[in-house]
Amino acid sequence: MEKKRTEISTLGEFGLINRIAKDFVPLNTETKLGIGDDAAVIDNGGLQTVITSDMLLEGIHFDLAFMPLQHLGYKAVAVNISDLAAMNAIPKQITVNIGLSNRFSVEAIDEFYKGVKAACDNYKIDLIGGDTTSSASGFVISVTAIGVVSEDRVVKRSGAKVKDVICVTGDLGAAYIGLQVLEREKQVYLANPDMQPQLDKYDYIVQRQLKPEARTEMVYELAEMKVVPTSMIDISDGLASELLHLSSNSGVGMKIYEDKLPIDKQTYDTAFELHIDATTAALNGGEDYELLFTVSMDDMEKLKKHPDIHFIGYVQELSKGNIMVTKGENEVQITAQGWNHFARK
Amino acid sequence: MEKKRTEISTLGEFGLINRIAKDFVPLNTETKLGIGDDAAVIDNGGLQTVITSDMLLEGIHFDLAFMPLQHLGYKAVAVNISDLAAMNAIPKQITVNIGLSNRFSVEAIDEFYKGVKAACDNYKIDLIGGDTTSSASGFVISVTAIGVVSEDRVVKRSGAKVKDVICVTGDLGAAYIGLQVLEREKQVYLANPDMQPQLDKYDYIVQRQLKPEARTEMVYELAEMKVVPTSMIDISDGLASELLHLSSNSGVGMKIYEDKLPIDKQTYDTAFELHIDATTAALNGGEDYELLFTVSMDDMEKLKKHPDIHFIGYVQELSKGNIMVTKGENEVQITAQGWNHFARK
């Protein structure tokens, strides 16, 4: 019997998610928000419970040749906490499932959980469960993070309004350039195992790749400044991809300015050294785990003294599209490259 | 530099969990119960939120040679819902993370999610999120299930008291004997691919292996009968292993009677045919996903007319140990074989 076979790569990750999501419309009244945002929202009375889950696979999401296990444990937690921050939620608990082949020892697991523990301590969260099992090949990690937020402070991807100001925290492109440096050093090492990696001058960008931080402190600070963003998302796939998510979820267009993009000097210098355009790294690099959000113009005043919040543009009518004004004052359309794990095969 | 290397198999799965758990003592007041039970319990105001998470890996937990993808999707959900039932919780939501190699097509994913959807419909739960990613090898599944229970109805592993009655739902050993039949048919098929599997006379036990059900209806029925078990666990690793968990968590001994173990006739007959002792299958087979619980003697009267609840023994002092009285009236010690995925490598 001949069966139809469609390659997953023809759908892409988001196409696949949409294909799945259309069959799963939430029915329980407790489910306030289902598939399609940074996290789901549940109301069991009291505070809203926010839940997100991510899977990391060896050889796809991380390379143990340059990712120490302790950093991996930290990062696996941080990227989920970042999704909670994108909902304006305070993280409270995580569960961690791991699968390991017999290539890994008890000491290796200890290293991994040292990183998980460091993240728990830093973000003040509890590890409350998880599964440890054997794997036929490689290291498999799945983390679920649980947080809380009051009903009136939940921020989705869908609330951006025309004239809102587009804000981004920290700086962009560093994690991607850091990864390029690590990949280069790995090649040098593979060619000559006696060579020690020279990473000192790349310390910031390498750190951004190996030990990303979730912007949970921003959730507290926004509350202190009495600001509720109109929409928010964390930058895991790259600024361009995330801007397009806010655009499609909110039904508005985004206009940003190239000269407003926050790029660290080390990112910029190293991008130049590697013949990579720094703006492209900022737009499409991903893994920065900064927050991208929109606020009403009325809230701009409260935010403008914050050293880590940068205004990069404003929200416009959907018909005007998603545009970046370049340093040369040309208008270019924003297109997402993001990470398509399926297409990379 | 010589580093110490300890094989994971020397600890076993529970040893590994204990090693991890000791470093992670919950600190948030919202965390009512952390690692070490069937699920964790969170209090964000209102009903208690119950959370559990499990990972299933191809080649370790399932064999796609005889496990249809639709059944796999159903089972991946059901086994987590079973953990919620073991806390006396009503399931409400799940997240599903999957990793797939390019061996799998879009149609294969559709089949898998058809099973997930069937489970969602059956248990009345919402799929609220998840991650789909590419995998370097094989099918990887991680499911997190979320449920609710009022504070006064949460049932842990730790509340069994001396003189309580030990109860088990449904029947035991069928899933294990079903797996043996499937393994035998696979060998026949591998030897001669033109042979069609003859499974008709094994329909019940094969179904128990391929499409297990969580005993969620028991949660509702216990509430109707106004019974709160003193301790409860679901039977995933085998009755013996679960009895020992209740024993160690509650600080009591367990005494069960071999002639009281509920074993279906098909399980019994097929075990005989395969030269497997049916009692051993019931004690150590696992994957039945029935509920094992203890109730106060005062509640026995309310339960005794329920066709799916069987009294198999009673709770005794810890000093008397964990004992099975055989059909020949000998007393044998209960030891756990369970599933040690690490030792099976």
Side-chain angles (χ1 to χ4, degrees):
Chain A
M1 189 173 62
E2 192 81 359
K3 274 197 184 165
K4 189 164 179 260
R5 181 183 166 93
T6 312
E7 297 303 326
I8 298 170
S9 56
T10 61
L11 291 180
E13 187 181 349
F14 301 125
L16 187 58
I17 292 172
N18 290 339
R19 187 183 177 97
I20 296 164
K22 71 172 176 7
D23 288 330
F24 289 92
V25 180
L27 297 175
N28 283 304
T29 54
E30 296 89 345
T31 307
K32 294 296 168 191
L33 186 66
I35 300 170
D37 216 301
D38 292 272
V41 181
I42 293 167
D43 185 351
N44 289 338
L47 288 171
Q48 311 258 296
T49 302
V50 183
I51 300 209
T52 184
S53 197
D54 254 319
M55 187 174 261
L56 298 175
L57 303 180
E58 185 179 357
I60 307 288
H61 302 93
F62 58 88
D63 184 338
L64 290 173
F66 51 69
M67 175 62 103
L69 281 165
Q70 202 173 328
H71 283 59
L72 180 62
Y74 195 95
K75 184 170 178 171
V77 177
V79 302
N80 278 283
I81 300 306
S82 179
D83 277 322
L84 295 183
M87 304 301 293
N88 211 22
I90 302 292
K92 289 290 178 181
Q93 295 95 4
I94 51 166
T95 66
V96 176
N97 294 344
I98 57 170
L100 303 135
S101 71
N102 52 12
R103 172 162 73 88
F104 295 93
S105 64
V106 172
E107 287 75 16
I109 298 179
D110 286 348
E111 279 301 299
F112 175 79
Y113 276 99
K114 247 186 234 169
V116 171
K117 178 83 166 97
C120 284
D121 291 346
N122 187 31
Y123 298 110
K124 296 183 177 54
I125 52 181
D126 297 325
L127 177 74
I128 56 166
D131 200 13
T132 50
T133 183
S134 138
S135 142
S137 67
F139 202 146
V140 181
I141 309 163
S142 184
V143 175
T144 299
I146 305 127
V148 291
V149 57
S150 62
E151 196 176 350
D152 57 336
R153 297 195 61 84
V154 176
V155 180
K156 303 176 191 175
R157 295 181 180 177
S158 55
K161 299 272 182 303
V162 174
K163 286 189 240 167
D164 282 355
V165 182
I166 304 170
C167 308
V168 71
T169 61
D171 62 83
L172 301 176
Y176 176 76
I177 300 296
L179 180 62
Q180 304 315 309
V181 169
L182 287 166
E183 294 277 10
R184 186 182 64 178
E185 292 300 316
K186 182 184 170 188
Q187 296 311 320
V188 170
Y189 174 81
L190 290 174
N192 180 358
D194 291 332
M195 286 280 285
Q196 284 297 308
Q198 298 295 325
L199 294 174
D200 287 3
K201 64 180 275 210
Y202 308 113
D203 56 346
Y204 176 68
I205 58 175
V206 164
Q207 176 87 353
R208 290 281 283 177
Q209 169 59 225
L210 294 183
K211 193 164 173 285
E213 294 287 355
R215 280 284 185 182
T216 298
E217 87 282 7
M218 199 59 67
V219 176
Y220 290 100
E221 289 166 12
L222 286 169
E224 271 168 38
M225 295 186 284
K226 299 195 195 321
V227 172
V228 180
T230 52
S231 71
M232 186 149 61
I233 191 168
D234 75 323
I235 303 177
S236 51
D237 290 329
L239 179 64
S241 173
E242 316 305 354
L243 281 167
L244 296 182
H245 280 306
L246 294 188
S247 162
S248 67
N249 280 275
S250 296
V252 293
M254 299 280 164
K255 184 171 193 172
I256 63 166
Y257 297 87
E258 185 183 7
D259 64 358
K260 298 289 184 189
L261 297 182
I263 299 175
D264 185 81
K265 188 167 183 308
Q266 196 176 93
T267 305
Y268 197 87
D269 292 349
T270 312
F272 186 79
E273 179 191 329
L274 296 172
H275 309 291
I276 298 170
D277 178 45
T279 298
T280 305
L283 282 174
N284 296 316
E287 293 208 278
D288 290 313
Y289 300 103
E290 296 292 348
L291 293 172
L292 169 68
F293 58 95
T294 56
V295 294
S296 153
M297 282 178 72
D298 302 339
D299 283 330
M300 231 180 130
E301 195 63 30
K302 298 182 202 164
L303 300 183
K304 79 178 182 197
K305 282 190 189 140
H306 195 296
D308 280 344
I309 297 177
H310 310 282
F311 304 133
I312 62 168
Y314 57 84
V315 180
Q316 59 187 6
E317 283 78 16
L318 182 61
S319 58
K320 292 188 178 163
N322 294 292
I323 300 292
M324 180 174 76
V325 180
T326 67
K327 288 172 187 167
E329 304 215 338
N330 292 313
E331 296 202 345
V332 296
Q333 232 180 335
I334 297 169
T335 54
Q337 299 184 1
W339 292 107
N340 190 330
H341 291 302
F342 290 109
R344 286 206 293 175
K345 294 298 301 179
Chain B
M1 189 172 64
E2 193 80 0
K3 276 196 183 163
K4 187 163 180 261
R5 181 184 165 91
T6 312
E7 297 304 326
I8 298 171
S9 55
T10 61
L11 291 180
E13 186 183 348
F14 301 126
L16 188 57
I17 291 171
N18 290 340
R19 188 182 177 96
I20 295 164
K22 72 172 175 8
D23 288 331
F24 290 91
V25 179
L27 296 174
N28 284 304
T29 53
E30 295 90 346
T31 307
K32 294 296 166 192
L33 186 66
I35 299 170
D37 215 301
D38 291 273
V41 181
I42 293 167
D43 184 351
N44 289 336
L47 288 170
Q48 312 257 296
T49 302
V50 183
I51 301 208
T52 183
S53 196
D54 253 321
M55 188 175 260
L56 298 175
L57 303 180
E58 185 178 357
I60 307 289
H61 303 93
F62 57 89
D63 183 338
L64 290 175
F66 51 70
M67 175 61 103
L69 281 165
Q70 202 172 328
H71 283 59
L72 180 61
Y74 194 95
K75 184 170 179 172
V77 177
V79 301
N80 278 283
I81 300 306
S82 178
D83 276 321
L84 296 183
M87 304 301 293
N88 210 20
I90 302 292
K92 289 290 179 179
Q93 295 95 4
I94 51 163
T95 65
V96 176
N97 294 343
I98 57 170
L100 304 135
S101 70
N102 52 13
R103 171 161 75 87
F104 296 93
S105 64
V106 172
E107 287 76 16
I109 298 179
D110 286 348
E111 278 302 299
F112 175 80
Y113 276 100
K114 247 185 235 169
V116 172
K117 177 84 167 97
C120 283
D121 290 346
N122 187 30
Y123 298 110
K124 297 186 177 53
I125 52 181
D126 297 324
L127 177 74
I128 57 166
D131 201 11
T132 51
T133 183
S134 139
S135 142
S137 68
F139 203 145
V140 181
I141 308 164
S142 183
V143 175
T144 299
I146 304 127
V148 292
V149 57
S150 63
E151 196 177 349
D152 57 335
R153 296 196 62 85
V154 176
V155 181
K156 304 176 191 176
R157 296 180 180 177
S158 55
K161 300 271 181 302
V162 173
K163 287 189 241 167
D164 282 355
V165 182
I166 304 171
C167 307
V168 72
T169 62
D171 62 83
L172 300 176
Y176 177 76
I177 300 296
L179 180 63
Q180 305 314 309
V181 169
L182 287 167
E183 294 276 12
R184 185 182 66 176
E185 292 301 316
K186 182 184 169 186
Q187 296 311 320
V188 170
Y189 174 82
L190 289 175
N192 180 0
D194 292 331
M195 287 279 285
Q196 284 297 309
Q198 298 295 326
L199 295 174
D200 286 2
K201 65 180 272 210
Y202 308 114
D203 57 345
Y204 176 68
I205 59 175
V206 164
Q207 176 88 351
R208 291 280 284 176
Q209 169 59 225
L210 295 184
K211 193 165 173 284
E213 295 286 356
R215 279 284 185 184
T216 298
E217 87 281 8
M218 200 57 69
V219 176
Y220 289 101
E221 288 166 12
L222 286 169
E224 271 167 39
M225 294 185 286
K226 298 198 195 322
V227 173
V228 180
T230 53
S231 70
M232 186 151 60
I233 190 168
D234 74 323
I235 302 177
S236 51
D237 291 330
L239 178 65
S241 173
E242 317 305 354
L243 281 167
L244 296 182
H245 279 306
L246 293 187
S247 162
S248 66
N249 280 275
S250 296
V252 294
M254 299 281 165
K255 182 172 193 173
I256 63 167
Y257 297 86
E258 185 184 6
D259 64 358
K260 298 286 184 192
L261 297 183
I263 298 175
D264 185 82
K265 186 166 185 308
Q266 196 176 92
T267 305
Y268 197 86
D269 292 348
T270 313
F272 186 79
E273 178 191 330
L274 296 172
H275 309 292
I276 298 171
D277 177 46
T279 298
T280 304
L283 282 174
N284 296 316
E287 295 208 276
D288 289 313
Y289 300 103
E290 296 293 348
L291 292 173
L292 169 68
F293 57 94
T294 55
V295 294
S296 153
M297 282 178 73
D298 303 338
D299 284 329
M300 232 180 131
E301 196 61 31
K302 299 181 199 164
L303 300 184
K304 80 177 181 198
K305 281 190 188 142
H306 195 296
D308 280 344
I309 296 178
H310 310 281
F311 304 133
I312 62 167
Y314 57 85
V315 180
Q316 59 187 8
E317 283 78 14
L318 182 61
S319 59
K320 294 189 177 162
N322 294 293
I323 299 293
M324 181 173 77
V325 181
T326 67
K327 289 172 187 167
E329 303 214 340
N330 292 314
E331 296 202 347
V332 295
Q333 233 181 335
I334 297 169
T335 54
Q337 299 182 2
W339 292 107
N340 190 330
H341 290 301
F342 290 108
R344 287 205 291 174
K345 294 299 298 179

